[in-house]
Amino acid sequence: SKNPQETFTIWDKEKILGDVVYLIRKFQPDVIICRFPPDSRAGHGHHTASAILAEEAYTAAADPKRFPEQLKLVKPWQAKRILWNTYNFGSINTTADNQFKMDVGAFSPLLGKGFGEIAAESRSQHKSQGFGVGASRGSAQEYFLTVKGKTPKNSLLDDVNTSWSRVPGGSKVGALVDAALAAYNMEDPAASVPALLEIRRAIKALPGGYWRNLKLKETEQLIYACAGLWAEAYSASATVVPGRSMEATVQLINRTDIKITLDKIDLPGKPGAVGRQELSFNQFKSFSEILQVPAGTPESQPYWLEAPHPVGMYVIKDPLLVGHPENVPSLQAEIHLTIGGQQFTITRPLQYRYTDQVKGEVFQPLAVAPPVVANLGSQVYIFTDAKPQQVPVKLRAMADNVQGAVHLKLPPGFTAGDNRQSYSLEQKGDEVELHFNISPVNAVTENHADTFTVVVECNGKEYTQDFRQIRYDHIPLITLFPPAEARLVSVNLKHNGNRLGYIPGAGDMVAASLRAVGYDVTELGEKDIMNGNLQQYDAIITGVRAYNVNARMKYWQPRLMEYVHNGGNLVVQYNVNNPLVTKALGPFPFGLSRDRVTDENAAVHFNDANDPVRHYPNEI
């Protein structure tokens, strides 16, 4: 979006503000830092809106009258200050000498890298926008402008108590922590376990609260690390189905001489699956069990996609999930231990582990799936006449022995003569493709769009899910089950030419869409353009950003201009102004800029209502 006013027509401002307030109350930050300012210097409208929301939430989070329904889960919270991290980027410099500044170019001997190097690695993971950058090394100043609260003088954490004295009754814990730090031996971390156990006991004695709960978890993680304890839980398969069996494995090892007793292991639907035994020094333990996946286990749909949502907003039924980057795993192992006379519970999600011949050991989240899923060959089917179109539906078994029937839930105005077909799949992973013939009931005389859904019957239940995975090396695998549905679009379209040449750009579905409405489309390459007969095409279309990403466009352009000169129609789709492989984009000189006004709801006014382009071959 181009401004915050537009953003807040897409985002429900009060709802999003409530989410920000909830996260502040939950996380209880002492200092809040914004990346963007609440004005046009932020660049985009949603950038600006984020800063507006942060400033309002800073105040609202401390006000018990704002979003009082949250107070059942969290309490009001007032941060010390909120700042804007100003910047000097491109032609825009928002830094000033009177702003608080700090040197972030420090070197970490423990990590062996400077923070500029780590930052570059982080930014280079932003792969969807091509944000790879080189590392910066040495001194680097960051500037901060105070938005609300007291301006810092020495540190961003000025006036913030970072000691244990901020926690009621925490002074004893602070003294124990200081003693443990002073006695720490890098060559023998296990020697710190008795002191850490004493710290844990002291923290557990404190009244409940944010810091008590957070530091208890952190102390337990320190105990496991110093004790050399390793524990993981696995599934033998990548997907499981509620009500069906699965093989689960829990593996542990105690790599120090600290005495650790395994009391029991609770697995989903099978408490006490493994009983009491000692974890001897450096003895690898592996326990496997066949489980029945509980029938009510939710499918691995990202929680923000569980319910249908409007444009720009998700519908999240459970407010406790807000802010989680991933789903809370629904299938977990609980490992109960005794260390130094204290009881511990380690929770590990059941995940899929396998060995890749190139990458080695690979871990991925376990997917809980319906017994069968359906995939459509296309997301849109376009009808320009009443002729039937064949719609392939691919069924995939997510469990053994699935069978039933499939039908299409069609909107009024469409029919399928073969609209109930049976299937039977014996083994998990088996697939079968069924074909349905959909056609409009009447001749196409107007433009209309609707949606149809694939309904798969299995064991007396109906399932309407597709199965997709977002799989990249730099992020965890994400499994989702969107509805198995597609659009049915009727278009009253007249052709005044049929043969099109298409030059692919950065990636789009335009060529396939043109074929769907009856055009004969040929994708053009080097030979076709440089040596072929271009005049055979009624029009040639260049794909989105073709002049940005295809270096050959510079050499093809003279041939395309020759085609235009000889009466051909060349349609150039969207390109950005930089980088361009050539600036000679047309037969006459013109340039691209970044200046634009974007409002998809703006009224369109035609200077000449009778211009033939508005009426031939189709009405605009």
Side-chain angles (χ1 to χ4, degrees):
S1 61
K2 299 304 164 190
N3 56 64
Q5 292 76 25
E6 181 188 6
T7 302
F8 290 130
T9 65
I10 301 168
W11 293 353
D12 180 334
K13 182 182 178 183
E14 191 70 5
K15 171 66 172 63
I16 301 297
L17 178 62
D19 284 350
V20 181
V21 167
Y22 172 73
L23 289 174
I24 291 175
R25 288 172 172 174
K26 180 181 177 182
F27 184 68
Q28 297 186 10
D30 293 307
V31 175
I32 300 172
I33 299 175
C34 298
R35 171 69 283 186
F36 300 105
D39 54 45
S40 61
R41 292 173 297 178
H44 290 300
H46 47 284
H47 291 173
T48 308
S50 73
I52 293 171
L53 289 166
E55 184 174 339
E56 292 187 19
Y58 170 86
T59 302
D63 185 353
K65 295 179 182 179
R66 298 300 308 275
F67 308 101
E69 70 281 0
Q70 298 178 1
L71 302 184
K72 299 174 184 177
L73 305 171
V74 290
K75 65 179 183 179
W77 181 257
Q78 179 63 72
K80 290 287 185 183
R81 57 183 60 89
I82 180 171
L83 309 106
W84 167 34
N85 178 198
T86 57
Y87 54 85
N88 185 356
F89 180 75
S91 61
I92 301 176
N93 183 8
T94 61
T95 66
D97 287 338
N98 63 349
Q99 296 172 3
F100 176 78
K101 57 181 177 292
M102 61 184 293
D103 188 350
V104 298
F107 175 77
S108 171
L110 183 64
L111 300 174
K113 295 180 180 180
F115 293 106
E117 295 171 287
I118 297 170
E121 291 178 12
S122 171
R123 186 174 174 87
S124 296
Q125 297 306 308
H126 196 359
K127 297 182 184 295
S128 64
Q129 292 201 354
F131 271 3
V133 295
S136 62
R137 298 172 178 88
S139 179
Q141 296 291 329
E142 288 289 336
Y143 293 78
F144 300 87
L145 183 66
T146 304
V147 177
K148 286 186 177 180
K150 188 177 179 181
T151 299
K153 294 182 178 179
N154 303 306
S155 164
L156 289 172
L157 293 174
D158 277 359
D159 305 320
V160 176
N161 182 359
T162 59
S163 74
W164 270 98
S165 64
R166 77 182 292 173
V167 180
S171 297
K172 178 184 176 182
V173 178
L176 291 171
V177 170
D178 291 341
L181 284 170
Y184 178 68
N185 179 3
M186 188 179 294
E187 299 296 325
D188 185 15
S192 294
V193 171
L196 289 168
L197 289 169
E198 189 63 26
I199 291 170
R200 179 178 185 259
R201 183 178 288 109
I203 294 175
K204 289 189 75 174
L206 297 175
Y210 176 82
W211 287 109
R212 183 261 189 196
N213 298 337
L214 177 64
K215 292 301 174 182
L216 182 61
K217 291 179 183 178
E218 292 179 351
T219 303
E220 290 175 348
Q221 294 301 317
L222 281 172
I223 291 170
Y224 305 149
C226 289
L229 181 64
W230 178 86
E232 292 293 347
Y234 309 108
S235 164
S237 60
T239 59
V240 297
V241 174
R244 303 293 183 104
S245 63
M246 66 172 290
E247 182 182 349
T249 299
V250 177
Q251 296 179 336
L252 302 111
I253 187 169
N254 173 14
R255 292 174 287 199
T256 63
D257 58 4
I258 296 294
K259 183 179 179 181
I260 301 177
T261 301
L262 171 63
D263 297 323
K264 65 172 182 172
I265 298 175
D266 293 334
L267 293 170
K270 202 168 188 177
V274 178
R276 183 181 178 88
Q277 54 190 283
E278 296 297 322
L279 297 182
S280 303
F281 168 66
N282 216 30
Q283 296 300 303
F284 184 74
K285 299 281 188 179
S286 184
F287 311 98
S288 294
E289 295 285 334
I290 301 298
L291 310 175
Q292 197 81 0
V293 180
T297 304
E299 292 159 2
S300 300
Q301 184 80 322
Y303 70 85
W304 55 93
L305 297 178
E306 286 179 353
H309 61 86
V311 174
M313 297 281 294
Y314 293 117
V315 176
I316 300 173
K317 297 177 181 177
D318 183 356
L320 291 175
L321 293 175
V322 172
H324 283 276
E326 302 173 76
N327 279 14
V328 177
S330 55
L331 296 174
Q332 303 190 90
E334 290 188 352
I335 305 163
H336 301 271
L337 305 165
T338 298
I339 306 174
Q342 296 186 32
Q343 277 69 52
F344 292 80
T345 299
I346 297 177
T347 302
R348 290 288 185 266
L350 289 170
Q351 55 187 335
Y352 178 53
R353 182 185 68 174
Y354 66 98
T355 301
D356 182 274
Q357 290 182 319
V358 175
K359 300 174 182 176
E361 192 174 52
V362 178
F363 302 85
Q364 70 182 44
L366 177 64
V368 181
V372 61
V373 293
N375 177 260
L376 286 159
S378 175
Q379 294 301 299
V380 180
Y381 293 90
I382 303 175
F383 294 83
T384 58
D385 52 41
K387 294 178 182 177
Q389 286 194 42
Q390 190 177 80
V391 175
V393 176
K394 183 181 291 184
L395 302 182
R396 180 179 179 184
M398 308 304 281
D400 293 337
N401 300 317
V402 295
Q403 55 190 348
V406 185
H407 70 274
L408 306 183
K409 185 178 180 181
L410 295 166
F414 287 89
T415 185
D418 47 0
N419 198 15
R420 184 175 178 83
Q421 301 183 37
S422 61
Y423 73 93
S424 179
L425 299 169
E426 292 185 6
Q427 294 184 331
K428 181 177 182 178
D430 285 353
E431 294 182 352
V432 64
E433 186 169 277
L434 307 177
H435 297 90
F436 297 81
N437 291 293
I438 298 180
S439 59
V441 174
N442 301 310
V444 176
T445 58
E446 59 182 20
N447 300 337
H448 181 71
D450 216 323
T451 301
F452 77 94
T453 304
V454 180
V455 180
V456 186
E457 302 165 22
C458 179
N459 298 331
K461 293 185 178 181
E462 292 186 343
Y463 298 91
T464 59
Q465 294 103 318
D466 193 353
F467 171 72
R468 297 182 196 170
Q469 289 185 318
I470 302 172
R471 186 187 295 268
Y472 294 102
D473 286 341
H474 63 292
I475 59 173
L477 175 73
I478 299 174
T479 299
L480 56 155
F481 298 94
E485 62 185 23
R487 301 283 281 170
L488 293 173
V489 179
S490 301
V491 180
N492 184 17
L493 182 70
K494 299 179 181 65
H495 294 191
N496 65 335
N498 192 59
R499 193 163 192 191
L500 304 179
Y502 195 84
I503 302 175
D508 56 58
M509 298 294 292
V510 173
S513 298
L514 290 168
R515 291 189 184 101
V517 293
Y519 287 101
D520 177 7
V521 182
T522 301
E523 294 197 14
L524 306 180
E526 180 78 16
K527 277 187 178 180
D528 306 299
I529 296 170
M530 298 303 289
N531 300 311
N533 174 22
L534 298 183
Q535 301 306 135
Q536 66 181 300
Y537 299 108
D538 297 309
I540 294 175
I541 303 169
T542 67
V544 172
R545 298 197 182 200
Y547 289 89
N548 297 130
V549 300
N550 190 337
R552 298 301 300 167
M553 291 300 299
K554 176 180 180 180
Y555 306 100
W556 296 347
Q557 188 69 1
R559 282 279 292 158
L560 295 174
M561 290 300 99
E562 180 185 338
Y563 163 75
V564 172
H565 181 75
N566 292 331
N569 300 298
L570 177 67
V571 179
V572 177
Q573 296 186 82
Y574 176 80
N575 290 269
V576 294
N577 67 327
N578 186 52
L580 285 168
V581 299
T582 178
K583 293 185 178 179
L585 300 180
F588 305 104
F590 68 89
L592 299 182
S593 84
R594 291 183 60 86
D595 298 334
R596 59 187 177 184
V597 176
T598 304
D599 180 0
E600 58 269 37
N601 297 312
V604 177
H605 301 284
F606 292 96
N607 291 330
D608 183 358
N610 297 316
D611 193 306
V613 75
R614 289 195 59 202
H615 306 285
Y616 176 83
N618 296 282
E619 289 291 322
I620 298 178

